Amino acid sequence: MALKLAYETWGEGKYPLLLLHGFTGNRSSFDHLRPLLSEQVRAIAVDLPGHGETPLPSRTGRDGFLETVEALFGVLDELKVPTANLLGYSQGARFALAAALTKPERFGRLIMESGSPGLHRRQERTERRAKDANLATFIRQKGVEAFVAHWESQPIFAGLRNLPAEQQEVLRSRRRACTVEGLVGALECLGLGVQPDYWPELQRQRLPTLLLTGALDEKFTQIARRMAAELPVVWRRTFEGSSHAPHLEAPEEYASEVVSFLRTPWYEAPQFENAAPDKSAAGGQG
């Protein structure tokens, strides 16, 4: 039986936008952006496997990753949406890229926040799988509460500790709603160590692409710079004062950037349909 992703829709705008959350999130992860985006987008927010109400794939490892990618198309088919835009955060950004490369005809534009095309070296993937296996053991032995405390203590999430207390509690409650089985299973089938290496594929990714990162997140900002050098049509924005999650740390600026990107008329003239994409049309790599 094919994997089915739980989802909900919101917004009254003209731009269909598939929203893909990060690890420990769920389809409510972008709810705080509803007042900022609802007039412009028709959001389709999904629960990725092991999160929210979506079960784990029938397979683990790379096969489970690819099964999840196929399930994204199932959501669009069920809603009868022939073409949508993609926005993914962290884990979700990796799936957004994978979907765009798998069936580019189903998408208009791609937005990746703090995402990666994968690990290029086999040794890196092996090391990451071992790291995720250790984290899975920690979750099994210590439980979700201890894991959440460990997860939130990472330097990459330092900016989230500056959020208002109420917002921090909403985020913490969402993470605590995860299950041991869901988190462990997600590490085994959605993790960076099992994801295919998409670096060699970037040059054929012809969708207009927006790369969003926080300036305090040096690792993913550097990854975005490297990606921008490979992608044919790309626009990159770094949010000053933000770390790994600009959609939470700078929501107004973030929403404005997303809407501006979706509204930009990339291909106005029909005679240029078959021409090679021009980076300058997307504002270059800056």
Side-chain angles (χ1 to χ4, degrees), residues 68-121:
T68 302
V69 174
E70 285 300 318
L72 294 173
F73 304 124
V75 171
L76 297 181
D77 291 342
E78 185 172 318
L79 291 171
K80 295 181 172 55
V81 177
T83 306
N85 302 288
L86 282 161
L87 188 160
Y89 161 63
S90 196
Q91 169 187 261
R94 296 189 282 109
F95 278 99
L97 176 61
L101 287 166
T102 302
K103 292 184 179 180
E105 68 276 8
R106 298 300 302 269
F107 304 106
R109 301 179 188 193
L110 170 65
I111 303 171
M112 295 178 65
E113 176 190 358
S114 304
S116 165
L119 299 173
H120 194 49
R121 295 187 177 89

Side-chain angles (χ1 to χ4, degrees), residues 160-217:
L160 298 178
R161 293 192 277 276
N162 297 322
L163 295 176
E166 182 180 348
Q167 200 170 347
Q168 289 191 51
E169 186 52 40
V170 169
L171 180 59
R172 188 169 296 117
S173 296
R174 185 183 299 127
R175 288 169 169 164
R176 286 172 174 165
C178 295
T179 65
V180 169
E181 296 77 13
L183 291 173
V184 169
L187 287 170
E188 293 173 345
C189 65
L190 311 186
L192 191 59
V194 302
Q195 171 185 320
D197 172 21
Y198 291 118
W199 280 105
E201 306 296 316
L202 292 182
Q203 291 187 353
R204 71 174 181 86
Q205 203 297 94
R206 300 288 175 171
L207 299 181
T209 301
L210 174 62
L211 306 176
L212 303 174
T213 59
L216 302 180
D217 183 358

Side-chain angles (χ1 to χ4, degrees), residues 54-72:
T54 295
L56 293 167
S58 61
R59 296 164 289 180
T60 58
R62 179 189 174 105
D63 288 342
F65 186 95
L66 297 177
E67 185 179 348
T68 302
V69 174
E70 285 300 318
L72 294 173

Side-chain angles (χ1 to χ4, degrees), residues 16 31 34 84 87 91 99 106 115 131 165 185 193 197 236 259 268:
D31 276 2
R34 287 193 186 200
L87 188 160
Q91 169 187 261
R106 298 300 302 269
K131 182 178 178 181
D197 172 21
R236 187 169 65 82
V259 170
E268 291 183 276

